[in-house]
Amino acid sequence: MKDVRPTSGKVLQALFNILGDVSGAKFLDLFAGTGRVGLEALKRGADSCVFVENIKSRAEEIKKFSPESLILSLEIHRAVTWLTKREMKFSIIFADPPYNAGWCGEILKIPFFEKLFDEKCIFVIEHSSREEMNANENFKLISQRGYGETCLSFLEKII
């Protein structure tokens, strides 16, 4: 099992300062790990959070802290398919994939990923500052913030 790299307190605080009021948000936490980001969203008033964590033991730990939430212990492609088949849409999508594993280029290419976005959805990906986050024809990079080794990239779907 790969070591979990929880979002640091500094980055977590910065993320929610940038997002502002998340009350009423439908939050999706991809590559959830410890669930720290999604749990913080709920604490700050998000309506709901769906956690996606492939490693079953981690998913079970998240369930202990948020028993009312939907927690999917699925690989990311399967999770996106599962969610889109149920026509679930989110106002904030956060992803913290393994650093330096190519996800910055791949996550936006997952089939049907864009169908998870509600009308004004913000997508945030936490990644290594050494990785470049590239938008594509469906997504526009609206902001990037660096915190040492960590970078937060904010994107929105092009309508």
Side-chain angles (χ1 to χ4, degrees):
M1 177 178 353
K2 288 187 177 186
D3 287 337
V4 68
R5 178 195 32 76
T7 298
S8 75
K10 177 182 177 181
V11 173
L12 187 69
Q13 182 178 4
L15 170 67
F16 284 97
N17 285 344
I18 293 164
L19 290 175
D21 183 12
V22 298
S23 55
K26 294 191 181 333
F27 201 94
L28 176 60
D29 188 352
L30 300 172
F31 304 93
T34 63
R36 185 173 189 192
V37 175
L39 292 168
E40 184 68 21
L42 290 169
K43 185 172 123 183
R44 291 176 180 244
D47 231 17
S48 62
C49 183
V50 174
F51 297 86
V52 176
E53 174 49 56
N54 191 33
I55 297 170
K56 190 167 184 58
S57 61
R58 289 187 193 147
E60 289 168 356
E61 281 297 308
I62 296 168
K63 190 71 170 169
K64 290 178 188 175
F65 292 103
S66 188
E68 72 286 351
S69 293
L70 175 60
I71 296 142
L72 300 176
S73 184
L74 296 171
E75 184 275 329
I76 188 76
H77 292 83
R78 291 183 59 218
V80 168
T81 299
W82 192 94
L83 293 165
T84 55
K85 281 184 179 177
R86 285 151 186 84
E87 298 182 0
M88 296 182 80
K89 294 196 181 287
F90 301 91
S91 48
I92 302 171
I93 299 174
F94 177 81
D96 183 9
Y99 280 16
N100 303 308
W103 282 107
C104 284
E106 293 304 312
I107 198 159
L108 299 177
K109 296 177 187 172
I110 294 173
F112 310 114
F113 183 66
E114 72 280 353
K115 291 183 182 282
L116 299 176
F117 287 60
D118 77 6
E119 196 174 301
K120 294 184 180 187
C121 182
I122 274 288
F123 172 53
V124 184
I125 183 167
E126 180 179 330
H127 57 93
S128 166
S129 56
R130 293 183 209 136
E131 293 175 282
E132 192 173 326
M133 181 70 218
N134 294 312
N136 63 22
E137 65 278 355
N138 296 319
F139 296 93
K140 177 172 82 172
L141 182 63
I142 53 175
S143 179
Q144 280 190 314
R145 308 282 173 90
Y147 307 91
E149 167 60 22
T150 299
C151 186
L152 293 175
S153 292
F154 296 79
L155 297 98
E156 62 186 9
K157 184 174 145 185
I158 297 170
I159 299 174

